[in-house]
Amino acid sequence: DGPFVTIDLTHFIELGADLFGREDWRYVATEGGEGTRPPFRSALLSDSQLVTMRSDWSREANWLFFKVSPESGHHHRDTLGTQIWAGGRRLLIEPYTGYYTEERDVFNRSWWHSTPTLGQSLLPIRGDNPEVLHWETGDTLDYAVGQITVPLGDGQYPARFRRHVFFGDHAWWVIWDEFAGVPGGRVVWENFHFPTRELETGAGGRVVKTMFESGANLLMAVGVPGWTLAKEQTRSWDTHPYSGETTPTTTLHYQADGELASQGFAALLVPFAGRSAPAARFEQIEQREGGRVKLHVTVGGTKHTFTTWREK
């Protein structure tokens, strides 16, 4: 789609189905034409601390990749990062990387990924640091919670970032981020990397839409006021094998001091087809007893509520 190149690896999956007798792999490789439907759509890969959430097994599926993984030797500094696809198109991305010798550090910037950061600073990659705290999947909802601790400097206790990801109706997502231990003078950024520079921004930056002429687009509604918006023209490596060519992209940075960030950050992410986005917004965010949060949203005229998990 567009300038981005997708490598078709389905023949390898089908080969694996032959070698290991996996009819569920054959189903995925043939988009349901052969084999047996897998017993799940979404999954937690517990060893690697990765989460996938998807509407179905087709190439047109709405699906999200949530990374809460430790250092593994080939790591981007984007823990708690999310990526979204719909209709076969990447809609919320990371910048990827190309040549090891050309601008690799530029494309590995944490704030060029769709993850929270302490301003323009790199996230840590210690092996014992990131953790998936909670995972559940069901007929109408998938829900994951990931956490990372972020060093503040010598003699200071680290901050804690926690991201909640809800997959509502297996069609769209709600993100709720919590920040604890960030001093008031430090700046928190919420970063969202879009695969285009054609964005429509309204309501003071609290509503954002990609503007592809046809096919899938993404609506993002921000649910917490007070965060200021900065827009950066970024780039993404778009071809494989490594070519040196990049695609113009946009990364949005929502910014707040530690005091405001301690109240949390909310984003509603709704894929849609064509140029006409559904009505989607936050109605209310309630702080509940015990530190839990109840999020009220409306998508396409239907109201939904989500309550965050909290360890006992």
Side-chain angles (χ1 to χ4, degrees):
D1 171 67
F4 290 95
V5 173
T6 300
I7 303 170
D8 188 353
L9 299 177
T10 53
H11 56 289
F12 288 111
I13 302 175
E14 197 159 13
L15 177 61
D18 291 335
L19 291 174
F20 298 101
R22 293 292 300 265
E23 291 303 304
D24 53 343
W25 293 2
R26 193 180 313 282
Y27 184 96
V28 173
T30 62
E31 293 193 77
E34 301 176 31
T36 304
R37 183 194 301 271
F40 60 90
R41 296 165 295 92
S42 303
L44 164 66
L45 306 179
S46 55
D47 288 344
S48 55
Q49 298 285 278
L50 301 173
V51 172
T52 65
M53 301 177 179
R54 61 185 307 134
S55 58
D56 57 65
W57 287 103
S58 73
R59 292 172 185 256
E60 303 298 306
N62 292 358
W63 72 282
L64 173 143
F65 179 74
F66 182 31
K67 176 182 175 183
V68 196
S69 60
E71 164 61 39
S72 60
H74 207 92
H75 192 87
H76 284 210
R77 291 178 174 264
D78 61 339
T79 305
L80 304 186
T82 56
Q83 299 178 56
I84 287 174
W85 288 254
R89 171 178 283 158
R90 296 178 175 97
L91 291 170
L92 191 65
I93 67 170
E94 65 148 83
Y96 315 104
T97 53
Y99 293 126
Y100 283 85
T101 56
E102 294 185 18
E103 296 191 294
R104 187 169 182 84
D105 290 342
V106 172
F107 286 87
N108 206 12
R109 292 167 173 167
S110 296
W111 60 96
W112 275 28
H113 294 72
S114 298
T115 187
T117 59
L118 284 174
Q120 287 185 321
S121 61
L122 296 174
L123 290 171
I125 53 174
R126 292 179 303 161
D128 61 349
N129 190 35
E131 182 181 7
V132 175
L133 301 175
H134 178 77
W135 164 248
E136 61 183 270
T137 182
D139 292 338
T140 59
L141 175 70
D142 297 333
Y143 175 34
V145 184
Q147 179 173 289
I148 186 174
T149 56
V150 181
L152 295 174
D154 293 341
Q156 300 182 72
Y157 288 106
R160 186 191 71 207
F161 291 4
R162 182 176 291 180
R163 170 161 283 187
H164 303 253
V165 182
F166 300 90
F167 191 19
D169 282 347
H170 295 151
W172 41 267
W173 292 270
V174 172
I175 288 177
W176 172 253
D177 285 348
E178 300 174 343
F179 304 95
V182 180
R186 297 295 294 268
V187 178
V188 173
W189 285 15
E190 286 279 5
N191 309 290
F192 296 90
H193 195 146
F194 296 90
T196 176
R197 291 188 179 169
E198 298 298 321
L199 298 178
E200 180 181 287
T201 306
R206 292 179 62 185
V207 178
V208 179
K209 292 189 293 184
T210 62
M211 298 296 290
F212 293 106
E213 288 291 336
S214 61
N217 275 296
L218 184 68
L219 166 69
M220 182 174 75
V222 173
V224 180
W227 292 66
T228 59
L229 175 61
K231 183 184 296 186
E232 183 178 4
Q233 292 190 343
T234 48
R235 293 172 288 142
S236 175
W237 288 87
D238 61 346
T239 57
H240 186 87
Y242 299 148
S243 68
E245 299 178 3
T246 59
T247 293
T249 61
T250 305
T251 302
L252 301 183
H253 310 292
Y254 292 87
Q255 304 172 357
D257 62 19
E259 182 177 358
L260 177 59
S262 68
Q263 301 174 30
F265 181 89
L268 174 60
L269 297 149
V270 182
F272 63 97
R275 301 293 291 273
S276 181
R281 62 185 180 273
F282 283 90
E283 302 289 356
Q284 185 181 7
I285 299 175
E286 294 183 70
Q287 299 291 333
R288 309 284 285 185
E289 185 176 353
R292 303 181 81 186
V293 176
K294 192 170 186 179
L295 304 154
H296 301 258
V297 302
T298 296
V299 178
T302 302
K303 295 183 178 181
H304 305 263
T305 61
F306 304 97
T307 301
T308 60
W309 168 89
R310 179 69 62 178
E311 65 267 48
K312 297 179 180 179

